[in-house]
Amino acid sequence: MPEGQPSFRIGQGYDIHRLVMGRPLVLAGVTLPWDLGLDGHSDGDSICHALTDALLGAAGMGDIGQHFPSSDDRWKDASSLELLAEVAGRVRRAGFAIGNVDVTVVLEVPRLSAYRDAMIEKLAGAIGVGADAVGLKAKTTDGLGPEGAGEAISAFAVALVTSPA
Ligand code: MG
């Protein structure tokens, strides 16, 4: 980068979790009324996991598993939204500012439109940006793949961070 210019860095993240009976459905930190939930060590929040990895990738700081190893009991009952907030703090302490983020969540059901604003507010609050810096789009797959069969919910995320000149 030229002298005196901020450095822009982009990261991407992906995650998928299986839908199972007997678990709450938590996406972007919002608990949705649904009879299936996402399986996993944590709450299985694929949106938060994908976005966490996108931020870490942009900052060149590894991945979610390195920051929160499942062997470490400190993070055992933490929500994925809290882990996302913790990572945003670590990224800032490493000298980066968080620009904007954009997420695509892939699922057949339930419809998210009624919860979209609440989900964006949660993500924005966790990473410390305005709601206008958080994109969230839901896509179906025309019945294809595990998401189309209602067996899983996946998410893709990108994040932009800047470091000062
Ligand atoms: Mg995950």
Side-chain angles (χ1 to χ4, degrees):
M1 294 297 292
E3 192 82 14
Q5 294 291 314
S7 167
F8 294 87
R9 301 172 56 116
I10 193 166
Q12 65 97 27
Y14 165 77
D15 195 38
I16 185 167
H17 281 266
R18 187 184 299 273
L19 280 165
V20 295
M21 295 291 289
R23 298 263 300 175
L25 178 57
V26 182
L27 281 173
V30 175
T31 302
L32 304 168
W34 195 244
D35 53 354
L36 301 176
L38 293 169
D39 202 12
H41 266 301
S42 62
D43 53 22
D45 188 334
S46 6
I47 290 179
C48 284
H49 294 179
L51 186 49
T52 298
D53 266 350
L55 285 170
L56 289 169
M61 291 173 60
D63 65 31
I64 189 170
Q66 290 173 266
H67 284 258
F68 309 111
S70 46
S71 56
D72 188 340
D73 277 350
R74 258 189 313 166
W75 311 109
K76 188 162 169 283
D77 291 319
S79 81
S80 299
L81 192 75
E82 288 168 18
L83 301 186
L84 173 63
E86 171 64 26
V87 156
R90 292 182 186 186
V91 165
R92 283 207 174 80
R93 288 195 292 279
F96 296 100
I98 296 170
N100 73 299
V101 301
D102 193 23
V103 177
T104 299
V105 57
V106 183
L107 77 175
E108 195 65 28
V109 284
R111 297 199 70 82
L112 298 184
S113 47
Y115 308 99
R116 188 171 166 276
D117 288 350
M119 294 163 79
I120 286 175
E121 286 295 332
K122 289 271 192 184
L123 294 175
I127 66 175
V129 300
D132 62 348
V134 177
L136 178 62
K137 305 171 300 299
K139 298 290 287 184
T140 58
T141 62
D142 204 18
L144 296 167
E147 298 96 331
E151 295 169 356
I153 295 178
S154 64
F156 301 83
V158 292
L160 185 79
V161 304
T162 60
S163 58

